[in-house]
Amino acid sequence: MKIILGPSSKELGEKIAELAGYEKVPVLSKIFPDGESYVRIEGSVKNEEIAIVQTTCKPQDTNLVQLAFIANAAKRNGAKRVTAIIPYLAYARQDKMFLEGENVSVETVATMLNAAGVDRLVTVNIHAEDALGRFPFPAKTISAIPLLADHFVRKGCKEAFALAPDKGALYIAEQAKAVLGGECGNLQKQRDRYTGQTTQSAKHLDVKGKVVIIFDDIISTGGTIVGAAKILKEQGATKVFATCVHGLLIGDAERRILDAGVEEIVSTDSVPSKNSKVSLAPLLSAALKAH
Ligand code: R5P
């Protein structure tokens, strides 16, 4: 197998290739003055099994189009099979028609990638696993939560309380609890489908005097974490950390979260930033090796 280093995940792709012992293939990419993308694979892919590592965080559309172009270039240049390693899969949250007149974005993205030449896909903590059923090729998601929890164990937070900010993320808190060895629980979150506004509420949680780590798949505007941190402080948590797989951290999200009394934000390199303190490379290289 050879690893194509997609422009949005060059560093992560290099780490995966090194850990797995696979050859790296660079890509030349550029954006034309009118905003269109250009890519060129700079190495041979003929008769090879290829994995392209390309995350699709902001700018999502450019990163997605570049991934499709690279997959197409790989196939045109003789690649046998193309696996897309997409650490953060854009548009995965629109995985059904919530309101009449909508589309199912994640299905459209998968269909587009398939048409371009992608034969299978590996992603990390897709927002809802059911969405994989909409893909026209084999697709799997792997969880980085044990890696994040292990990071906190190594920081001395063993037995911290793992909190999910909504019921849908309780499985995430349960995965974290299995590593941390403490307790876990969840808040309730309701979203208005028209305005996008969310409200959070909590039953009594056993967090008084405890270190609490909020685990989520995504931090976007930070509103969910800010609301959760406020509830945790009111209920007597001594220290609150926030961690997620995909740290989109839009606008002033980071500042708002820290202002809400959160000690630190920890995310993975699915979305590269200064908060990416945990690398997905061991997880993704092991997943490739296992295939
Ligand atoms: C939603 O259900 C997700 O799991 C996250 O909780 C959400 O995307 C976080 O968004 P924000 O940071 O904007 O509150």
Side-chain angles (χ1 to χ4, degrees), residues 159-161 183 205-212 236-240:
E159 300 196 348
F161 189 103
E183 293 302 312
L205 293 163
D206 188 17
V207 295
K208 195 166 165 54
K210 292 188 181 167
V211 172
V212 180
T238 47
K239 275 190 176 174
V240 176

Side-chain angles (χ1 to χ4, degrees), residues 93 127 165-166 169 189 191 198 216-225:
R93 282 174 286 181
H127 183 60
D166 57 45
K189 187 169 87 174
R191 183 180 296 277
T198 57
D216 209 348
D217 57 343
I218 299 170
I219 301 178
S220 181
T221 64
T224 301
I225 299 293

